[in-house]
Amino acid sequence: MSSAPIIEAHGICKAYAGQVVLSALSLQLQAGEVLGLLGVNGAGKSTTLGILSGVINPTSGVLKIMGQNPCQRPKVVQRLLGYLPEQLPLHPELTVDEYLWYCARLRGVPSNRCLVAVKDAKHLCGLSSEGKRLSRNLSKGFQQRLGIAQAIVHQPKLIILDEPSSGLDPEQAHSMRELISSLGGHCSVILSTHVLADVQATCSRVAILAKGRLVYDEPLGNQGLHRDSSQLIVQLKKTVTSSDLMRAIPELESVHMHADGWLLKFRSSEVSVDKIARCAYENQWGLGAIYPPAQTLEKTFLSVISQDNLVVHQKSESV
């Protein structure tokens, strides 16, 4: 029998002064999943993270974090999870060891376990040799690592990371991605970021928020579910020209050479693969393969956001 989800959220709404900023959010997170939370500014990501971490109470809906209700037992829930906010919660006057010990005690780690907890967190975050350094003297990349170390020092089952690679150079960002990936082997992770490469490199699932609503929630690699059905890549064994294709297939809008063959763009999405295959057979082109072009995470994100904007725009026009 499968274990209970780490997060169970059903119909979560949040309103401030009558203005809805989060609407009917339903989300589950299983043990070991690394979820990338995406959305443009104002989409509701910060509100969502605040609710999931027990800092903000929802206006309505049902939420359980590891079986606990954060509205009823916020202190308990906050000790069960680790949280790295966008603004690092560092104490510049403390050394790395002092700061992590302080955070461990805040999270309820017994004093006789703090030494081991601090040592383990430093090891996992690549800070083993930095214990005696003041946190203010660390580089930006190591400060971010220290921020993650404070989030995991009590060995939580859930870690929430808000823009962990913000302000890092490419090398530091690469190291941060490796660290986040390693965390997935120990606990569940929610990664909120604007950097799609971070999600692509670390996450097993992607959720996209737009205007306070969850508009996309799929395992990473399922972007094909949102492919543009008006485009196909066709591999032909016989040498043909773009003019040959345009003449033979009147439904075509344009034809371009692609790394894998011909990229065919149609005026509508109603042209069937069977029709293109039949056309290739009748013209003796020798059909090698035919398939939709791969959809990148960036294309999926932009497509979902633009579709959501269109729906909202159409609704506003009909009012």
Side-chain angles (χ1 to χ4, degrees):
M1 184 168 57
S2 61
S3 59
I6 297 295
I7 293 177
E8 293 181 275
H10 302 284
I12 299 297
C13 298
K14 182 62 182 179
Y16 294 101
Q19 172 146 5
V20 177
V21 295
L22 199 63
S23 177
L25 173 70
S26 293
L27 185 71
Q28 282 196 354
L29 186 68
Q30 302 295 332
E33 278 192 301
V34 181
L35 173 68
L37 185 63
L38 299 175
V40 298
N41 290 332
K45 300 192 303 297
S46 295
T47 300
T48 299
L49 296 184
I51 290 174
L52 295 180
S53 61
V55 176
I56 300 173
N57 287 336
T59 304
S60 60
V62 178
L63 174 63
K64 287 188 177 181
I65 308 294
M66 287 165 276
Q68 301 289 337
N69 186 330
C71 299
Q72 297 174 352
R73 309 185 71 189
K75 298 295 185 183
V76 172
V77 169
Q78 288 166 17
R79 286 188 175 185
L80 291 174
L81 58 83
Y83 184 40
L84 174 65
E86 186 173 1
Q87 299 298 322
L88 289 175
L90 301 184
H91 289 258
E93 74 282 2
L94 297 181
T95 66
V96 169
D97 284 344
E98 290 169 342
Y99 176 64
L100 291 178
W101 187 290
Y102 167 70
C103 292
R105 293 296 291 133
L106 280 180
R107 300 295 178 83
V109 178
S111 58
N112 62 348
R113 287 285 304 159
C114 281
L115 186 62
V116 173
V118 169
K119 181 180 178 181
D120 290 345
K122 288 193 301 179
H123 175 73
L124 190 57
C125 295
L127 295 169
S128 294
S129 61
E130 310 299 324
K132 303 306 179 183
R133 294 185 65 187
L134 292 174
S135 59
R136 66 166 173 258
N137 293 335
L138 298 174
S139 68
K140 175 67 173 177
F142 274 79
Q143 286 183 346
Q144 291 290 98
R145 286 175 172 270
L146 181 55
I148 292 183
Q150 66 80 27
I152 67 171
V153 70
H154 56 303
Q155 298 184 339
K157 293 183 179 179
L158 170 64
I159 300 174
I160 299 175
L161 306 175
D162 191 1
E163 299 289 350
S165 62
S166 176
L168 301 184
D169 64 36
E171 183 179 1
Q172 292 170 335
H174 177 73
S175 296
M176 182 58 63
R177 290 170 195 155
E178 291 184 335
L179 173 55
I180 295 170
S181 295
S182 70
L183 293 178
H186 300 269
C187 56
S188 301
V189 181
I190 296 178
L191 169 64
S192 176
T193 181
H194 287 95
V195 184
L196 298 184
D198 288 353
V199 175
Q200 193 81 50
T202 63
C203 296
S204 56
R205 199 167 120 224
V206 182
I208 300 176
L209 287 170
K211 294 181 173 64
R213 296 184 295 112
L214 185 65
V215 295
Y216 181 92
D217 185 3
E218 296 285 351
L220 192 65
N222 277 16
Q223 285 76 44
L225 298 175
H226 291 259
R227 288 189 177 112
D228 182 355
S229 57
S230 67
Q231 297 188 50
L232 290 172
I233 290 177
V234 176
Q235 296 176 352
L236 302 174
K237 297 178 181 178
K238 182 180 177 181
T239 300
V240 299
T241 67
S242 57
S243 298
D244 294 333
L245 292 166
M246 293 293 290
R247 280 195 299 268
I249 309 173
E251 296 88 353
L252 280 174
E253 179 180 299
S254 63
V255 178
H256 299 285
M257 284 299 298
H258 188 273
D260 298 323
W262 290 100
L263 176 61
L264 310 183
K265 185 174 183 179
F266 303 93
R267 285 188 287 272
S268 77
S269 58
E270 298 178 359
V271 179
S272 68
V273 172
D274 289 343
K275 183 172 183 178
I276 304 305
R278 186 166 61 252
C279 184
Y281 173 77
E282 292 172 352
N283 287 275
Q284 298 182 342
W285 289 336
L287 181 63
I290 182 170
Y291 53 88
Q295 182 79 306
T296 65
L297 179 57
E298 180 180 15
K299 288 182 178 179
T300 298
F301 177 74
L302 294 175
S303 174
V304 168
I305 294 299
S306 63
Q307 290 174 15
D308 183 73
N309 286 339
L310 178 61
V311 170
V312 172
H313 180 63
Q314 290 174 336
K315 286 182 178 178
S316 65
E317 286 183 340
S318 65
V319 175

